Amino acid sequence: MTEEDRIAAAARLHVALRRKTGRVTDTEWMSVNVEYATAIVRIARAHATATSDLDLAAIATGLEFAMAPLALEARVKAAAAKAGLAPVISKGAPRYVGGLR
């Protein structure tokens, strides 16, 4: 999922929550912060369950799906930090390796 996909999913959930519950959320923060997005998904699902709102539940699932790559990255970083390992950098090959140029 791209950043645009995450923003679109967050915006869709923001609009649904505003319309259905009156709750205002921060769309941009929701699209980059896994903890915040998880909390908003939890709130949306609780309301969807209480009101039998399948549409809201589906929109919440859409955001959860869009955030999955960031959530996985956060879990990997947390596990690495807990194990005392250096984070893995996967953004392309290094330009300089050892003594070779």
Side-chain angles (χ1 to χ4, degrees):
M1 288 273 160
T2 65
E3 181 179 3
E4 291 80 18
D5 294 328
R6 290 192 313 270
I7 292 171
R12 188 167 181 220
L13 186 55
H14 167 83
V15 169
L17 284 172
R18 174 69 179 195
R19 184 174 36 119
K20 296 172 188 245
T21 69
R23 180 175 291 274
V24 177
T25 61
D26 186 332
T27 302
E28 287 193 36
W29 186 240
M30 196 185 323
S31 70
V32 297
N33 185 283
V34 174
E35 291 176 4
Y36 182 65
T38 301
I40 298 301
V41 165
R42 189 176 311 118
I43 290 166
R45 284 205 174 119
H47 183 77
T49 299
T51 60
S52 299
D53 189 337
L54 297 177
D55 184 48
L56 183 58
I59 294 169
T61 298
L63 177 62
E64 187 175 48
F65 180 75
M67 295 298 291
L70 289 183
L72 176 61
E73 182 179 329
R75 285 193 305 270
V76 168
K77 285 181 181 178
K82 187 176 181 179
L85 302 173
V88 176
I89 300 171
S90 62
K91 305 227 183 213
R95 291 183 178 203
Y96 176 78
V97 178
L100 305 175
R101 286 190 179 203

